[in-house]
Amino acid sequence: MVHSAGALGVGAQVSAYLDDTYLEQVDTRVIAVGEKGGTPWAAVEHCLFHPQGGGQPADRGWLEDTEIIPVRDRESGLVVATVPGGGSLPPLAEGQKVRARIDLRARTAHAALHTAGHLVEAVGRMQGWEMVASNHFPGQARIEFQAPRTDTRLADPEGREEVTAVLRAAVAAAVADDLPVFARCLAGGRRVVHLDELHSASCGGTHVRSLGDLAELALPTLKVKKGRIRVSYSATHVPFTATQVSCTGTHLPYAAPHVPHPACQAPKRVGATE
């Protein structure tokens, strides 16, 4: 049940988490409140919270001082804030001003893993493979491929290690070149993330500024199971310096570049679908 005039299409939501990976907090306003299955939720105009999706975990965040979990509401298309463990949100009303904040360390860890996943996909495609699945969760990160043609190198452990070494070298070269990472939106609102000219893919995740922001990028020897080539990986974000982290709180001095298209910038109306 929605307890807000936003259900009539009055409110609008902007996906601020897509425009700046490194935005730590924002002052915004509530555009809708309600409950679903007895669980209260609230939606804010400038949504800082990335919901779970596309193989990426949800952000850890807060509305004022209350910790929340963001989820995508399939009926309205909004990203809404709920409280973990069945807790309650603070009293909120449509139009009320609130401060939204994320755990920036968790955000950048997720962004590093997601970006590294695109890079692994790119070097896998260099081998002639096609991606069929992905997971960017910490401790589970992997890209799965299929080879349209038989790759004899994958038939034995020595060959699989040889191919993995090729992937590692290609990944290390791209990181050393510090290729820029940016997003563009095409007509119709489809968002495409680019690793410079190396790779591009439709994606609604958060990403680092450039591949040089990736650290500790490791690829264990790939595995082949039921015709799928599984390339597991791990990665972290380079450490922040004292000058990079905002003490007061709204912004870091750099962001993953975003080249907007009008369709990408259009706010999502309550009741819209993604």
Side-chain angles (χ1 to χ4, degrees):
M1 181 181 297
V2 178
H3 304 295
S4 167
L8 303 177
V10 176
Q13 189 173 65
V14 177
S15 299
Y17 62 88
L18 292 181
D19 292 329
D20 187 349
T21 290
Y22 300 89
L23 185 62
E24 187 174 21
Q25 68 181 38
V26 65
D27 293 317
T28 183
R29 66 185 182 94
V30 176
I31 57 171
V33 295
E35 62 179 34
K36 190 170 186 177
T39 300
W41 58 262
V44 296
E45 182 177 22
H46 293 89
C47 181
L48 197 59
F49 313 118
H50 183 285
Q52 180 174 322
Q56 179 174 329
D59 281 329
R60 181 187 183 206
W62 292 265
L63 276 180
E64 296 296 339
D65 294 324
T66 301
E67 184 173 354
I68 62 91
I69 295 176
V71 296
R72 174 77 67 184
D73 180 69
R74 297 301 176 185
E75 295 179 8
S76 67
L78 293 170
V79 175
V80 302
T82 62
V83 177
S88 298
L89 290 167
L92 296 171
E94 183 186 6
Q96 180 177 336
K97 293 182 179 179
V98 291
R99 175 162 291 183
R101 178 169 58 92
I102 60 166
D103 181 336
L104 190 59
R105 301 290 178 178
R107 157 68 66 80
T108 53
H110 298 165
L113 281 170
H114 204 146
T115 307
H118 283 291
L119 180 53
V120 171
E121 180 188 354
V123 299
R125 289 186 180 277
M126 291 176 184
Q127 304 302 309
W129 306 337
E130 298 174 353
M131 189 187 77
V132 293
S134 63
N135 185 330
H136 309 297
F137 274 63
Q140 306 173 34
R142 64 185 181 272
I143 306 295
E144 295 186 8
F145 300 93
Q146 286 182 338
R149 295 177 297 278
T150 300
D151 192 331
T152 58
R153 300 174 300 172
L154 305 178
D156 57 71
E158 293 77 12
R160 291 192 288 274
E161 175 57 31
E162 176 186 339
V163 177
T164 306
V166 172
L167 300 180
R168 291 179 186 133
V171 163
V175 172
D177 287 341
D178 196 16
L179 299 180
V181 180
F182 56 92
R184 289 195 175 99
C185 283
L186 307 181
R190 185 166 69 94
R191 182 176 184 259
V192 178
V193 171
H194 297 256
L195 310 183
D196 199 25
E197 297 181 357
L198 177 66
H199 179 69
S200 63
S202 297
C203 184
T206 62
H207 296 280
V208 301
R209 167 190 65 172
S210 66
L211 296 185
D213 285 331
L214 299 180
E216 301 176 302
L217 182 48
L219 278 66
T221 302
L222 63 82
K223 298 180 180 179
V224 180
K225 187 175 182 180
K226 296 182 179 179
R228 287 195 173 189
I229 305 162
R230 175 177 290 188
V231 183
S232 298
Y233 70 93
S234 59
T236 62
H237 197 287
V238 295
F240 293 118
T241 67
T243 58
Q244 285 175 315
V245 179
S246 169
C247 295
T248 58
T250 56
H251 203 274
L252 289 177
Y254 59 79
H258 177 72
V259 182
H261 182 282
C264 219
Q265 292 298 303
K268 186 180 290 294
R269 294 284 173 183
V270 176
T273 57
E274 194 172 45

